[in-house]
Amino acid sequence: MKNKKTYIGIAIAIVLVFVVWRFFSGTVGDSFDIFADVKQGSFRVEITSSGELEALNSVEILGPLEARRFRVNNITIESMVDEGTIVKQGDVIAELDKSELFGRLDDKRIDLEQSRAQYEQIQLDTSLVLRQERDNISNLEYNVQERKLVLEQSQFEPPAIIKQNEYNLEKAERDLDQARERYRVKRLQERARMVEISARVRENENELAQMQEVLEKFTVKAPQNGMVIYQSGRGGKIKAGSQISSWNPVVATLPDLSRMRSVTYINEVDIRKIKIGQAVEIGLDAFPDKRLSGKVTRVANIGQQRPNSDAKVFEVVIEVNESDASLRPAMTTSNTIIVDRIEDVKYVPLEAINVHNDSINYVFLKNGAKQEVLLGLANLNDIVIEMGLNEGDRVFLSTPDWAKDAPVKLLADLDGKRRKIMEETSEVPEQPESNQGEERTERRRGRQ
């Protein structure tokens, strides 16, 4: 029994020693070596940037534009719904201070009462004056008839008396004609006064009605469905207690949440790669699992300098294809702009590429070769290998111990091109192998 336990213990010890030996023998030599496989397939050149969502279309919610007609220049917001409130068409957005317009309204009522009183007074005056003129005309008509009768009865009187009666008749007729003309002119004068005062009455009535209509607009309502976004002014965002100008009475904006866009800024180094119509993959910081698509719709022609940054950037607008109820203005987005896509190509990580004498790009293969490669397009992580590697090859991402003395296995197809480059850069001293890490970094920056 003791022998059996001894044998079992020896067997376990042997197994442990074997496992430890296999573990350390397989890792000691490669403990600091990192490898990557040469992959073949679809390769994308992309530019990533963060952006901010905003509505593609938005409607401004306005206070009463007509207030300036009644000398109401600044209007105070008494109350207002919270920013981000979802409203329906016709819902109350804000209540504006009506006190100043109330004062103008009272003044206009007084003006209207005065003009109506003047109209009534002129009516009475006109009636009295014209009645007097008509009475005068009637009296003159009687006088003319009387003078005619006297003339007819004086046919047998001396000629002097007859002549005198004729003069009296002519004078009476002339007085009658003058009275009738005076009556006609008086009627025109009084009618003009009536028209003037009645026009003033109508003007006051119309202005009073317009004031009452404007007064209703001091209760600001939503013109359509949407989310309320406060308008930014000189003192910050407009809210309850703020003042708006009657020349620009924007209280808030109502974005159309069914169509959104992401506004991002691209570095001046990469902006030449961005074109209108390029596809974009959009992620949301608020919803990491949600993925959206979009396309570039506008690229700014003039750069600008963002706050707290020395680099110049260009504004790029990306329209979101999908309509999602969870999207909100000012949400942060991660935008991946697809600059180019190549099918069925070989590529490796950028860290695998080394540069010799600024003219020869090469990689370290796991089989011990220092292989020259012809590079193609690159993105943030990988680079296309046009010549020099096969799918499935394994390359070092770190510098192996044997790299210093190993010669570069050159590609015969690049000999002519390589010689030309080396002749153009013959004055540049060869960089030592110890700077390969820095060379990889510089190469990666250049490809990006």
Side-chain angles (χ1 to χ4, degrees), residues 113-131:
E113 291 175 1
Q114 290 177 346
S115 61
R116 284 175 174 172
Q118 289 177 354
Y119 184 76
E120 292 176 0
Q121 183 65 42
I122 289 176
Q123 280 184 317
L124 294 174
D125 292 345
T126 300
S127 177
L128 181 61
V129 169
L130 293 181
R131 183 176 179 178

Side-chain angles (χ1 to χ4, degrees), residues 372 374 387-388 410-418:
E372 181 185 17
L374 177 61
M387 294 177 60
L410 301 177
L411 294 171
D413 293 341
L414 297 182
D415 186 59
K417 181 179 179 181
R418 188 188 312 110

Side-chain angles (χ1 to χ4, degrees), residues 50-106:
S50 61
E52 187 174 288
L53 280 181
E54 62 180 38
L56 188 63
N57 300 309
S58 61
V59 175
E60 291 183 336
I61 305 174
L62 301 177
L65 282 167
E66 302 85 352
R68 62 176 178 265
R69 289 182 52 195
F70 308 110
R71 304 186 306 281
V72 179
N73 297 322
N74 294 311
I75 308 170
T76 302
I77 300 175
E78 290 186 340
S79 62
M80 191 172 180
V81 299
D82 294 334
E83 187 175 28
T85 302
I86 304 296
V87 296
K88 295 181 179 180
Q89 184 176 3
D91 288 351
V92 175
I93 300 295
E95 290 285 352
L96 307 181
D97 183 16
K98 305 175 183 177
S99 58
E100 188 172 356
L101 187 59
F102 274 139
R104 302 282 189 273
L105 197 62
D106 291 339

Side-chain angles (χ1 to χ4, degrees), residues 259-288:
R259 300 186 64 191
M260 304 292 287
R261 65 182 183 182
S262 175
V263 179
T264 185
Y265 295 89
I266 303 298
N267 191 286
E268 59 183 335
V269 176
D270 296 323
I271 192 63
R272 60 185 176 82
K273 303 176 185 177
I274 307 299
K275 300 292 186 294
I276 293 176
Q278 289 175 336
V280 184
E281 295 176 355
I282 303 172
L284 298 171
D285 290 359
F287 304 99

Side-chain angles (χ1 to χ4, degrees), residues 60-64 77 79-80 93-96 220 228-232 237-239 244 248-253:
E60 291 183 336
I61 305 174
L62 301 177
I77 300 175
S79 62
M80 191 172 180
I93 300 295
E95 290 285 352
L96 307 181
V220 182
V228 176
I229 302 296
Y230 287 171
Q231 179 75 4
S232 295
K237 287 193 173 182
I238 293 175
K239 55 186 180 298
I244 59 174
N248 184 28
V250 180
V251 177
T253 56

